Amino acid sequence: MMNVERLQRFNWRPVAIGFLLVLLLLMPFNWFMGQYTTLLVFIGLHTMVTVGLCLLLGYTGQVSLGQAAFYGLGAYFSAVLSKTYGVNPWLAMIIGAIATGTFAYVIAYPIFRLKGNYLAMATLGLGIIMYVLFRQMAQYTGGPDGMGGIPQLAIGSFVFDTPFKRYYLVWFFCLSILLLSQNIVNSRTGRALRAIHGSEAASASLGINVAQFKMKIFVLAAVYASLAGSLFVHHLSFVNPQPFGFLGSVMIVVMAVVGGLASIWGAIFGAAMVRILSDELLLRFGELDIVIYGLILMLVMIFTPEGLFVRLKSYYRRWQTGRLGEVEL
Amino acid sequence: MTNTALQVTGVTKYFGGLAALDGVEAAIDAGKISAIIGPNGAGKTTLFNLITGVYPFTVGEISYQGTSLKKLPAHKRTQMGIARTFQNILLFPHMTCLENVMVGQHTRSRYGFFEAALRLPKSRKEEEAVNLKAMKYLNLAGLGMKAEQDAMSLPLGQQKLLAVARALASEPSLLLLDEPGAGLNKLEKMELSDLIRRIREMGITVLLVEHDMELVMGLAEWIFVLDSGKKIAEGTASQIQRDPKVISAYLGEEVEYVES
Ligand SMILES: Nc1ncnc2c1ncn2[C@@H]1O[C@H](COP(=O)(O)OP(=O)(O)OP(=O)(O)O)[C@@H](O)[C@H]1O
Ligand SMILES: [Mg+2]
């Protein structure tokens, strides 16, 4: 009896997170998964964007089909400021995050007067407008052909000049964001967000400033995406509008859904699944990729609306308690 | 002399061409249990919605402790000490009973995004206090054992008690209860009456909308009767029961019941 209780009370969470950390630490080495370092960098970047959407959509219940726009804003702020105007890349990144956050703040109040499908349409429109701007403002952005020669990030004389080094930089940012988000979710703020998801009327009746919380989380998600965009352009030293269009936004939604909308750590899983799919498999399907994303979205929503990652976790739990049951007998 | 907590003056509210409330006047005494009764569609819930800021209103005035509520957004009215439950309960799904009540404590703790993200000591200290308070209100509603259960897994009767606990957790001075007895069995209604009396003893003014006359007559010290958006009577339980206008309003409703 004692033993069973101890087993049940044993908290696997730190073990799982420790395992993940060791894995992340070792993956870019050549004897492990070195040939996939670039893919792993992209997974980290997309995880950052996805966590923002999880907070917004999964926790607060507010859909956005335009998250790639903020990703793109960060990317272009960093690219243009550091390349064209010679601003220090770190400073450019901060300016980009502030500007993108301010932009999100300004559009938050009008956009969140809308709900449900209307909100989806509005954010979709936002994404399309930004994409067109990235393409059309060619004298700044290089237009559809993009711009290259973007300087690399450095700390003193240490330059992040190889994918190996940038991998650690990106995952440092990514894990910090995951940790901050995890803390936010398990707090007064996180409760308020979930309450808003449950019932806006009841939330307001308990003193929650619904509009303000929606705005704050929208801004936070935009800043996450902007930081990811900045890291993205310094990783590639190149930027074009392609990742920041409608398909880009759809990918982010699929990542969030696959990882589990209301699961912070699931974002890594979702981003990894979709990136592996898009970088390693979907290349063969050409333009059909959007169809496949649509299909995944439909299948996940129909069969595991809580997300694939969350479902696997609950299977594991059930298997574990099943085992415990046997022990008890 | 009793003093007035909530003053409703000439409040009128139209939905399209329909006057859901039409020149309603009411003074709710501080520290007492008052009730609003009236047939379906009389405007009772609408009045609650105007008091708590769910809808704006233009005609008339509602003031609480002498301050006009007219221009205050809903969440600021909570800070002034007004809390409510909803006719359709509106618990937060996917959250435990304890978490539901903890949301009720929202205005009673201050720490925000920043402290939460970095888990500063302030946030942890306040979380502990919130947790304790929430447990206190759960216990008050007799739901202490259910703390870790999903709120939606409770039977209806307990869901209603949980909604009361959640509202209480905002530590109000005025509590509005919209049909707390609907759907409850005899025993649950007795528990509810008991809880409402204890709330009054805590010094909280209670305003209750309820169809169950036994419950209302047993609890309310003052009763307002609404019909088709108009106040047709007010008084003590015995005054109301003898009022011919009230009787005819309810007779009309009984005929409807037979038809449906
Ligand atoms: N949001 C709304 N839009 C349009 N009409 C509304 C709205 N809310 C209420 N009404 C109408 O206003 C009238 C009063 O409704 P209200 O819900 O206040 O009645 P009630 O006294 O609470 O009734 P019940 O006892 O059935 O709960 C009804 O005719 C209702 O249809
Ligand atoms: Mg009603």
Side-chain angles (χ1 to χ4, degrees):
Chain A
M1 219 25 224
M2 266 314 286
N3 263 338
V4 174
E5 251 173 51
R6 203 174 300 155
L7 257 175
Q8 271 169 337
R9 238 184 281 138
F10 187 77
N11 189 359
W12 285 98
R13 225 189 140 72
V15 179
I17 290 179
F19 178 72
L20 181 75
L21 285 181
V22 173
L23 199 68
L24 283 173
L25 207 64
L26 298 182
M27 272 200 300
F29 283 95
N30 276 333
W31 47 265
F32 197 178
M33 295 179 74
Q35 74 269 40
Y36 294 114
T37 305
T38 298
L39 174 65
L40 296 171
V41 168
F42 283 134
I43 292 174
L45 293 172
H46 256 132
T47 300
M48 292 169 68
V49 187
T50 302
V51 175
L53 186 62
C54 286
L55 289 174
L56 187 67
L57 179 55
Y59 285 89
T60 323
Q62 307 302 309
V63 67
S64 169
L65 299 182
Q67 286 309 99
F70 301 117
Y71 191 30
L73 272 173
Y76 276 106
F77 269 113
S78 272
V80 174
L81 286 176
S82 67
K83 165 93 193 303
T84 316
Y85 296 99
V87 177
N88 175 295
W90 294 110
L91 187 61
M93 190 168 172
I94 294 169
I95 295 173
I98 293 173
T100 306
T102 309
F103 174 64
Y105 172 78
V106 170
I107 61 172
Y109 281 108
I111 224 168
F112 284 117
R113 299 179 83 103
L114 306 172
K115 288 187 167 56
N117 294 337
Y118 297 100
L119 180 61
M121 297 300 279
T123 50
L124 181 72
L126 170 76
I128 292 171
I129 291 169
M130 294 316 295
Y131 179 64
V132 169
L133 286 181
F134 296 146
R135 285 175 66 98
Q136 295 302 315
M137 293 173 69
Q139 74 267 41
Y140 299 106
T141 64
D145 298 334
M147 62 193 283
I150 297 160
Q152 267 155 350
L153 287 162
I155 299 174
S157 61
F158 182 86
V159 184
F160 291 93
D161 52 4
T162 64
F164 184 83
K165 291 178 190 165
R166 291 190 293 262
Y167 168 92
Y168 289 103
L169 178 70
V170 164
W171 278 94
F172 170 75
F173 270 87
C174 181
L175 290 177
S176 307
I177 278 179
L178 285 168
L179 202 65
L180 293 185
S181 307
Q182 178 73 33
N183 287 344
I184 288 173
V185 162
N186 293 328
S187 75
R188 169 176 181 261
T189 300
R191 267 197 308 275
L193 299 177
R194 288 152 71 203
I196 290 169
H197 194 172
S199 163
E200 291 188 18
S203 303
S205 86
L206 297 168
I208 293 170
N209 188 341
V210 174
Q212 195 188 58
F213 270 103
K214 286 183 186 174
M215 177 276 284
K216 281 184 180 172
I217 214 70
F218 190 59
V219 169
L220 188 71
V223 169
Y224 286 177
S226 174
L227 292 174
S230 296
L231 292 170
F232 174 81
V233 296
H234 291 301
H235 172 59
L236 288 185
S237 291
F238 173 79
V239 61
N240 72 5
Q242 185 267 330
F244 311 122
F246 176 59
L247 184 66
S249 285
V250 169
M251 270 174 79
I252 295 160
V253 173
V254 177
M255 287 169 180
V257 167
V258 168
L261 283 172
S263 161
I264 294 296
W265 297 93
I268 300 183
F269 179 83
M273 285 296 143
V274 174
R275 279 291 346 187
I276 291 168
L277 195 70
S278 78
D279 295 15
E280 303 295 318
L281 301 170
L282 285 188
L283 291 174
R284 271 168 248 160
F285 292 89
E287 298 278 293
L288 269 180
D289 50 1
I290 184 96
V291 177
I292 292 173
Y293 290 130
L295 241 127
I296 299 174
L297 210 54
M298 270 171 56
L299 291 176
V300 173
M301 286 322 262
I302 291 169
F303 293 108
T304 68
E306 74 275 34
L308 211 55
F309 177 73
V310 175
R311 172 63 66 94
L312 290 175
K313 227 167 64 176
S314 77
Y315 279 149
Y316 171 74
R317 287 238 176 82
R318 210 177 303 160
W319 173 74
Q320 201 193 19
T321 46
R323 242 176 14 147
L324 288 171
E326 279 166 31
V327 173
E328 212 161 6
L329 285 173
Chain B
M1 262 312 282
T2 54
N3 48 356
T4 301
L6 187 76
Q7 180 79 49
V8 177
T9 324
V11 165
T12 299
K13 175 74 187 177
Y14 278 90
F15 288 114
L18 171 107
L21 291 174
D22 188 356
V24 172
E25 308 267 338
I28 284 90
D29 288 339
K32 285 194 180 164
I33 300 174
S34 309
I36 304 174
I37 62 171
N40 290 110
K44 307 179 296 291
T45 298
T46 303
L47 182 58
F48 271 19
N49 285 341
L50 297 193
I51 295 169
T52 56
V54 176
Y55 308 127
F57 63 100
T58 47
V59 184
E61 179 61 87
I62 300 177
S63 61
Y64 184 60
Q65 293 170 339
T67 311
S68 167
L69 299 180
K70 208 166 181 171
K71 294 208 171 63
L72 285 182
H75 63 95
K76 290 241 170 88
R77 301 186 199 201
T78 318
Q79 287 160 20
M80 291 194 58
I82 301 175
R84 72 174 289 183
T85 64
F86 295 85
Q87 193 169 347
N88 47 350
I89 316 183
L90 297 182
L91 291 176
F92 303 124
H94 312 300
M95 291 172 83
T96 64
C97 296
L98 182 64
E99 285 175 322
N100 264 271
V101 181
M102 285 170 86
V103 176
Q105 275 269 309
H106 184 82
T107 54
R108 300 298 156 194
S109 67
R110 288 260 60 92
Y111 82 93
F113 254 87
F114 183 69
E115 289 102 333
L118 299 179
R119 288 191 79 183
L120 297 185
K122 183 180 176 194
S123 76
R124 268 182 277 170
K125 228 168 67 196
E126 285 194 20
E127 269 305 274
E128 254 169 55
V130 167
N131 208 305
L132 279 177
K133 282 270 183 62
M135 267 323 284
K136 181 182 122 188
Y137 290 109
L138 260 184
N139 283 325
L140 189 74
L143 294 172
M145 298 287 288
K146 310 273 176 168
E148 295 305 323
Q149 267 187 38
D150 192 286
M152 301 313 260
S153 74
L154 298 183
L156 181 74
Q158 294 183 346
Q159 287 193 13
K160 294 217 144 183
L161 291 175
L162 180 60
V164 176
R166 183 178 72 175
L168 275 179
S170 71
E171 297 174 357
S173 47
L174 169 66
L175 180 61
L176 311 176
L177 302 171
D178 199 348
E179 304 203 12
L184 301 194
N185 61 35
K186 264 250 145 31
L187 182 72
E188 288 170 329
K189 276 183 185 163
M190 278 167 62
E191 284 170 6
L192 178 71
S193 297
D194 209 49
L195 177 60
I196 293 174
R197 280 201 196 88
R198 270 181 290 151
I199 291 170
R200 181 199 193 278
E201 278 160 25
M202 290 160 68
I204 298 171
T205 310
V206 177
L207 180 60
L208 171 82
V209 163
E210 185 52 63
H211 281 295
D212 184 324
M213 285 309 139
E214 209 183 311
L215 195 72
V216 172
M217 299 302 166
L219 278 172
E221 294 154 87
W222 197 257
I223 299 170
F224 302 88
V225 187
L226 284 184
D227 186 22
S228 311
K230 290 197 174 69
K231 186 183 77 180
I232 56 169
E234 66 176 287
T236 61
S238 56
Q239 288 168 340
I240 291 298
Q241 277 162 330
R242 273 182 277 120
D243 194 309
K245 275 198 259 172
V246 178
I247 293 166
S248 74
Y250 271 91
L251 277 178
E253 199 197 25
E254 259 165 31
V255 174
E256 276 174 26
Y257 276 143
V258 174
E259 279 168 1
S260 60

